[in-house]
Amino acid sequence: MEPLTGYRELPSQAMLAQAQANYQQLLRRRTVRDFDSRPVERAVIEQCLLAAGTAPSGANQQPWHFVVITDADRKAQIRAAAEEEERSFYNGRAPEEWLRALAPLGTDASKPFLEEAPVLIAIFAQKYGIDANGERFSHYYVPESVGIATGFLISALHDAGLATLTHTPSPMGFLSKLCGRPEAEKPVILLVLGYPKAGCQVPVHGGIKKPLAEISTWL
């Protein structure tokens, strides 16, 4: 253990103003499916990854790994593999209820953004670790930890002025092979990022957020 450093307490008015400003900033975030091909500076992405790495995790084991993909050939391979799984999903595996929920988004098996966007980040959850002696040890609260880190990453990218899309083709085991990741890691999210394409459209209903009374309870 060590002394707490870096904590900053704000006066109540400043605290509220900061909370309101943060809410307004995140309220502008939208999921984007049409990306400009302009490259994103590597240093920006690296700083956002460092922000993601500050997330809390079970026993502080940080059970995540982020693979950043910018190579055009690799992105094309990922698109081909993802669309193969998506065709299976839309043509039989998906329950009707799920397809009805997706209908307002206008999505289908075609995923051009996987090639058009300048950057893909494949997010892997580390199911277990390997110590210095080559012995396996358990990781704890892996889904929760990776989910929090992913939220940090999306928020950091948004703050930096970039748009994102969380893409989850299922199954996505193909990412392990294409990214050269070990058996201990499971791919969980393919994060697409870049600049929105000029004239980009987003779903109207996506901007309607549930009111506070529906998402929280005070006891």
Side-chain angles (χ1 to χ4, degrees):
M1 304 295 286
E2 63 182 8
L4 173 66
T5 60
Y7 172 73
R8 180 187 60 154
E9 183 174 336
L10 297 174
S12 58
Q13 271 194 316
M15 186 184 296
L16 178 57
Q18 182 72 18
Q20 290 171 333
N22 186 58
Y23 168 58
Q24 291 301 319
Q25 170 74 342
L26 289 174
L27 194 59
R28 295 190 303 102
R29 190 208 61 80
R30 297 298 300 273
T31 293
V32 167
R33 289 179 172 80
D34 295 310
F35 289 87
D36 192 287
S37 60
R38 282 183 294 156
V40 176
E41 188 177 346
R42 175 170 176 161
V44 172
I45 298 171
E46 289 178 339
Q47 288 300 306
C48 293
L49 290 170
L50 287 170
T54 69
S57 61
N60 194 31
Q61 292 176 325
Q62 305 164 54
W64 47 65
H65 190 85
F66 304 96
V67 178
V68 183
I69 302 129
T70 59
D71 177 74
D73 290 340
R74 191 84 54 134
K75 289 194 295 179
Q77 293 176 52
I78 289 174
R79 178 184 178 183
E83 288 186 339
E84 182 177 350
E85 297 297 351
E86 292 290 285
R87 283 191 292 272
S88 175
F89 171 81
Y90 281 95
N91 294 330
R93 279 198 290 112
E96 282 300 317
E97 183 179 16
W98 196 344
L99 293 176
R100 285 196 301 271
L102 290 172
L105 301 176
T107 59
D108 56 27
S110 178
K111 308 298 178 186
F113 50 76
L114 293 175
E115 285 191 272
E116 294 170 351
V119 183
L120 308 177
I121 300 179
I123 301 172
F124 289 82
Q126 296 176 337
K127 297 176 285 185
Y128 55 86
I130 305 294
D131 65 20
N133 297 317
E135 298 293 325
R136 179 187 299 194
F137 62 91
S138 297
H139 280 165
Y140 303 98
Y141 299 104
V142 174
E144 296 87 348
S145 301
V146 176
I148 295 169
T150 300
F152 275 36
L153 177 58
I154 292 171
S155 180
L157 290 165
H158 172 67
D159 282 347
L162 296 167
T164 59
L165 165 69
T166 49
H167 182 48
T168 53
S170 180
M172 61 176 77
F174 63 87
L175 282 173
S176 298
K177 181 178 180 181
L178 289 175
C179 295
R181 300 311 302 164
E183 190 275 337
E185 296 180 2
K186 175 185 177 182
V188 291
I189 292 175
L190 188 56
L191 190 65
V192 186
L193 69 100
Y195 300 97
K197 187 179 290 185
C200 173
Q201 298 285 302
V202 294
V204 173
H205 87 277
I208 301 173
K209 302 302 180 184
K210 292 180 179 179
L212 185 62
E214 286 190 28
I215 66 171
S216 63
T217 300
W218 288 60
L219 299 176

